[in-house]
Amino acid sequence: MTLTSGKKLSEAAPGKLPRHVAIIMDGNGRWAARRHLPRVAGHRQGVEAVRIIVRAAGELGIEYLTLYGFSSENWKRPAEEVSDLMGLLRLFIRRDLAELHQNGVQVRVIGDRDHLDADIVALIDEAEALTRENDRLKLQIAFNYGGQNEITSAVRRIAREVKAGRLDPEAITPETVSGFLDTAGIPDPDLIIRTSGEKRLSNFLIWQGAYSELVFSDALWPDFTPERLREAIDEYCSRSRRFGGLDEPVQDAGK
Ligand code: IPE
Ligand code: IPE
Ligand code: MG
């Protein structure tokens, strides 16, 4: 992806480009409703947007892209819609895996696999195994993912380590906790984008997003284009990240 000036965004903003962009892909249902179509039509169009954005992210030089595809709370939706969403993950992996692999994309799925159908788990395993060594763009798909569940499961595993005498409770640090999350080894998201105008995290990367910049786009997910992605990154580049510190060293007023 190039800017109108012909420059890559990374060249236009050296050192400022987010390494890790995470997206809450919201608004498929509303996209369909506006066209008097069933919700599944919005989800299908959402998958097209996924394809386009994954490609654009790679071309922009983003290292990590995490997409929220199905939350642990989305099981509350009608069974038919849940089944449509599961079907679309299947379709996406079947149809796009070879191309993703060819383009050097590493695929990893985060979230709870225990309650997914066996054939979906097999597809996920296949996608992860095939693309493990790729390093052009690292794509995480959050599927049956919920931040509270992820942290709870990490706490449970940490407690087991303590109980087994392998971990000293006093030695537990935030890094220890991070290492037990599904995202172990992945840098925290620099930028979290949510589409469709909603302004909440909906249980997405609640630990990892502690210092993420948040950008909210009014576009419904199926309408989210590489241009919108670039706008969100431009907004990110204009922000000052302080992580609790200060922008500039403070001058001593008395001197
Ligand atoms: C996002 O679109 C996709 C998922 C949550 C799976 P929605 O289905 O939430 O769309 P809206 O919010 O109803 O428009
Ligand atoms: C968040 O969207 C989950 C995904 C995008 C996968 P939702 O549409 O489920 O979130 P709420 O219910 O509006 O918070
Ligand atoms: Mg929604």
Side-chain angles (χ1 to χ4, degrees):
M1 160 114 202
T2 50
L3 299 173
T4 34
S5 66
K7 256 190 182 172
K8 270 194 145 182
L9 203 61
S10 52
E11 290 159 12
K16 287 217 81 178
L17 199 69
R19 275 186 85 191
H20 183 176
V21 175
I23 310 183
I24 303 171
M25 310 183 290
D26 199 13
N28 294 350
R30 277 162 283 170
W31 185 94
R34 283 183 194 171
R35 288 161 180 79
H36 308 286
L37 294 168
R39 291 180 60 84
V40 66
H43 295 314
R44 278 195 208 115
Q45 199 60 35
V47 176
E48 295 308 316
V50 167
R51 292 197 171 101
I52 293 167
I53 294 302
V54 168
R55 210 171 298 136
E59 287 167 6
L60 279 167
I62 290 164
E63 278 178 68
Y64 296 86
L65 177 69
T66 302
L67 300 176
Y68 202 7
F70 188 88
S71 80
S72 48
E73 285 71 41
N74 286 147
W75 294 101
K76 292 177 191 166
R77 297 188 180 198
E80 193 188 334
E81 180 166 351
V82 169
S83 153
D84 289 337
L85 289 165
M86 297 290 155
L88 283 170
L89 178 68
R90 279 188 188 95
L91 193 74
F92 176 69
I93 298 179
R94 286 204 191 109
R95 233 173 74 176
D96 288 53
L97 183 58
E99 192 190 322
L100 289 168
H101 182 46
Q102 240 170 24
N103 292 335
V105 178
Q106 183 190 91
V107 180
R108 177 160 159 179
V109 177
I110 58 170
D112 177 11
R113 293 184 198 184
D114 291 350
H115 300 99
L116 298 178
D117 287 350
D119 72 301
I120 293 190
V121 176
L123 277 171
I124 292 173
D125 288 344
E126 182 193 332
E128 289 184 339
L130 179 71
T131 63
R132 197 178 304 279
E133 303 300 326
N134 295 345
D135 62 1
R136 179 142 183 264
L137 170 71
K138 291 174 173 121
L139 173 67
Q140 276 79 235
I141 300 170
F143 202 86
N144 194 19
Y145 173 88
Q148 291 182 341
N149 283 348
E150 182 191 34
I151 295 168
T152 305
S153 136
V155 168
R156 198 176 292 126
R157 284 188 292 133
I158 289 171
R160 279 194 209 119
E161 290 300 299
V162 169
K163 195 176 169 193
R166 289 191 291 262
L167 186 62
D168 172 6
E170 303 312 317
I172 297 171
T173 62
E175 289 71 31
T176 316
V177 176
S178 294
F180 278 85
L181 299 175
D182 294 357
T183 51
I186 298 168
D188 289 340
D190 300 295
L191 167 62
I192 297 180
I193 300 169
R194 182 168 188 148
T195 61
S196 89
E198 306 289 357
K199 294 181 178 63
R200 56 178 168 270
L201 288 174
S202 301
N203 208 4
F204 185 50
L205 301 177
I206 51 175
W207 171 279
Q208 301 88 335
Y211 266 105
S212 302
E213 293 298 325
L214 307 179
V215 171
F216 300 101
S217 167
D218 284 332
L220 301 173
W221 174 249
D223 293 329
F224 194 77
T225 55
E227 181 56 26
R228 300 280 189 148
L229 174 64
R230 207 177 60 75
E231 281 165 13
I233 293 173
D234 283 342
E235 161 90 40
Y236 167 88
C237 290
S238 75
R239 302 260 182 99
S240 158
R241 301 185 78 190
R242 288 184 286 276
F243 299 97
L246 299 172
D247 267 338
E248 309 281 353
V250 181
Q251 300 298 317
D252 188 330
K255 287 188 184 161

